[in-house]
Amino acid sequence: MSGTGVRGFTLIELLITVVIVGLLATLAMPVAELTLQRSRERDLREALREIRMALDAYKQAADEGRIVVDRFRSGYPPNLDVLVEGVADARSNVRERRLYFLRRVPRDPFADSALPAASSWGLRSYASPPDAPAAGDDVFDVYCQSAETGLNGVPYKQW
């Protein structure tokens, strides 16, 4: 066998391949970013729904007399951690019986990952107006603190 019949790719073939792969990568990047944003928005919707349902369940338990609440209080929890730690069941004959509303506080997917999950949310107290939410003695609602806008055109703070 002679070494004159060397087989392989030419420089032109390699350049064309690199250009095609580059074009495909630039086309795939926006799709990947859009998919990531949709995933984070889905996580935000689920987390907001989960926390809001837990807040409503806590309020309902307080209204039913299962949680001891000062009559001058709203009946909402003082913080998000109470939903996980639980509160004593006032109607139970068993001393150690507690009511739990969440297994864990979900994290805001748009918040800094270094923050604890309960601190990643903006808190609105019962006494604050809906257009200017502010923290207070209780947690009536939560909201995303991100300044970004969703794919639907609504800022995440308003979700």
Side-chain angles (χ1 to χ4, degrees):
M1 293 191 78
S2 151
T4 60
V6 178
R7 293 186 164 192
F9 293 107
T10 65
L11 183 59
I12 299 288
E13 290 172 330
L14 288 174
L15 285 176
I16 289 173
T17 303
V18 169
V19 167
I20 290 172
V21 168
L23 284 172
L24 290 174
T26 56
L27 293 174
M29 285 303 292
V31 172
E33 290 173 2
L34 181 65
T35 302
L36 178 64
Q37 186 171 1
R38 281 187 180 150
S39 172
R40 290 171 66 190
E41 285 186 2
R42 185 190 68 242
D43 293 345
L44 176 63
R45 266 190 230 95
E46 290 173 4
L48 286 169
R49 186 178 305 118
E50 186 176 353
I51 293 173
R52 288 172 175 160
M53 287 175 60
L55 291 170
D56 291 344
Y58 185 100
K59 173 66 170 150
Q60 182 177 357
D63 290 347
E64 292 172 353
R66 296 190 69 189
I67 300 173
V68 177
V69 178
D70 182 0
R71 64 182 178 152
F72 298 110
R73 297 285 211 170
S74 66
Y76 287 96
N79 56 53
L80 293 178
D81 292 326
V82 169
L83 300 172
V84 176
E85 295 164 1
V87 292
D89 187 348
R91 286 194 182 169
S92 175
N93 295 334
V94 181
R95 273 186 138 179
E96 300 298 319
R97 172 118 177 157
R98 299 182 70 77
L99 297 172
Y100 298 96
F101 303 94
L102 286 175
R103 289 181 183 217
R104 64 172 178 76
V105 176
R107 169 177 300 289
D108 179 349
F110 291 95
D112 181 8
S113 61
L115 288 172
S119 301
S120 66
W121 298 100
L123 305 178
R124 176 181 168 216
S125 73
Y126 185 74
S128 72
D131 55 344
D137 295 333
D138 58 14
V139 180
F140 173 70
D141 196 12
V142 294
Y143 61 92
C144 180
Q145 298 184 75
S146 174
E148 296 178 41
T149 300
L151 293 173
N152 61 0
V154 178
Y156 293 128
K157 284 187 176 191
Q158 296 177 10
W159 281 34

